[in-house]
Amino acid sequence: MAGRLLTRGMMAGVAAAFLAFLFARIFGEPQVNLAIAFESAKDLASGELPEPELVSRSVQASFGLLTAAVMYGAAYGGLFATVFAFSYGRIGRFSPRALSALLAAAAFVIFVLVPDLKYPPNPPAVGLPETITLRTETYFGMILLSLCAATAAFMTSRPLIRRLGQWNGILVTIAVFISLIVAAQAGMPDIDEVPTDFPATVLWRFREAALGMQAVLWITLGLLFGPLAARVLQKQVD
């Protein structure tokens, strides 16, 4: 059963990644092109020669983006199916569809929304080359802190629900998670390297597209994997 769930998870992940690719192609790539044009104009004004392209922009925005999306979609789908198999029947009496949607929503909040609120994604021409290591470390550190906060909130949820009731216990659990996240983000260093003359509209729309791409990925994965998992589990019962 675990193997069949893993296969379904990878299939759902690839399908979700393809939809995310279409979203990024329509909404994200135009902002990337504008950011690259801004960077090129700035380099030209300062007398710097543009760096040679190892891979053309047309390939990056089409086959390159699609290949990357499919690869991480399959990986995310496999991990998602593994977590689903472990969680099913252990964290409540959820149906496969409900559990799949719940796990996808939790993954989006923990691994995308919380880190992006502190360190939002930036297009080309934003960020200093010498701080790449720092920015990478702080971003993944924020993901780790988000996961730890979610784990701590989950561990306190059952005692809270038993003591306060289901509705109040869930609300307090959410409040615990938010409080831990606020404290974690306050303790992490701020990084602001956006050039003062960078177009604000391009920056904002790029970040919207990046967040929207992740939302499409996780919503599709959560909604698509649920029915596939339900069929596998039903066959197991039969």
Side-chain angles (χ1 to χ4, degrees):
M1 183 184 68
R4 290 195 294 270
L5 286 175
L6 181 64
T7 302
R8 269 61 171 189
M10 296 179 68
M11 292 169 55
V14 169
F18 181 74
L19 292 181
F21 159 77
L22 293 178
F23 184 94
R25 190 78 172 85
I26 296 171
F27 297 103
E29 283 302 318
Q31 311 311 316
V32 173
N33 291 332
L34 290 173
I36 291 176
F38 170 84
E39 186 177 32
S40 299
K42 195 171 182 179
D43 291 342
L44 183 62
S46 62
E48 296 182 9
L49 295 176
E51 296 182 1
E53 286 187 343
L54 299 179
V55 181
S56 67
R57 272 297 300 152
S58 60
V59 173
Q60 292 178 29
S62 55
F63 296 107
L65 180 60
L66 177 60
T67 301
V70 169
M71 290 179 64
Y72 76 67
Y76 282 176
L79 290 173
F80 185 82
T82 302
V83 174
F84 176 91
F86 175 80
S87 303
Y88 186 69
R90 290 185 173 92
I91 63 172
R93 297 181 179 180
F94 295 103
S95 67
R97 290 176 174 83
L99 180 60
S100 178
L102 179 63
L103 290 177
F108 176 76
V109 171
I110 295 170
F111 299 110
V112 179
L113 183 59
V114 169
D116 282 6
L117 287 175
K118 180 65 177 179
Y119 303 114
N122 290 322
V126 175
L128 301 175
E130 57 268 23
T131 64
I132 291 178
T133 301
L134 173 63
R135 286 184 278 127
T136 302
E137 290 175 349
T138 52
Y139 183 79
F140 281 100
M142 193 66 248
I143 292 178
L144 180 60
L145 290 174
S146 178
L147 180 60
C148 291
T151 303
F154 177 75
M155 292 178 65
T156 61
S157 62
R158 289 188 178 181
L160 288 172
I161 290 174
R162 285 197 299 266
R163 183 174 180 180
L164 303 176
Q166 185 172 10
W167 180 251
N168 291 331
I170 291 175
L171 290 179
V172 174
T173 299
I174 295 174
V176 169
F177 174 71
I178 294 175
S179 300
L180 292 173
I181 290 301
V182 170
Q185 291 192 347
M188 295 290 286
D190 295 326
I191 298 177
D192 185 8
E193 298 177 348
V194 180
T196 56
D197 56 346
F198 190 87
T201 302
V202 174
L203 178 63
W204 179 252
R205 288 180 178 173
F206 175 86
R207 290 175 174 176
E208 285 182 327
L211 188 63
M213 177 183 174
Q214 291 291 337
V216 169
L217 174 70
W218 288 107
I219 290 173
T220 305
L221 180 57
L223 295 180
L224 185 59
F225 178 75
L228 296 176
R231 293 181 182 180
V232 172
L233 295 171
Q234 183 61 41
K235 290 181 180 179
Q236 182 73 13
V237 173
D238 296 339

